[in-house]
Amino acid sequence: MALQHSSDIVEVIFNSFAGGTFLYIAASEVIVEEFSLPDRNKWIQYAVFLAGIALITSLWFMESE
């Protein structure tokens, strides 16, 4: 209830903290584990990973217009 009347900067800080935590966990655990599995084509995984990054980035640019 106390956060209902807070300023926009508080929301930005908490969203940044949540996003940073998500990126840290993804980069340090999930991505490393996926690329360390044997008998997988790492180049295809890397290409799909980069395509996902490009998709998310394009959505961000579309929203800012």
Side-chain angles (χ1 to χ4, degrees):
M1 290 187 197
L3 292 178
Q4 290 178 348
H5 303 291
S6 64
S7 65
D8 289 338
I9 192 70
V10 174
E11 184 177 348
V12 168
I13 290 171
F14 281 121
N15 283 339
S16 299
F17 183 71
T21 303
F22 177 76
L23 289 175
Y24 174 76
I25 290 172
S28 66
E29 293 185 13
V30 176
I31 293 173
V32 172
E33 184 177 329
E34 280 297 316
F35 282 102
S36 68
L37 294 175
D39 298 335
R40 288 188 133 175
N41 195 346
K42 291 186 184 354
W43 291 109
I44 293 175
Q45 282 183 312
Y46 187 64
V48 171
F49 175 70
L50 290 178
I53 290 173
L55 176 69
I56 297 299
T57 304
S58 68
L59 291 175
W60 179 62
F61 283 122
M62 290 172 58
E63 180 183 335
S64 64
E65 290 181 2

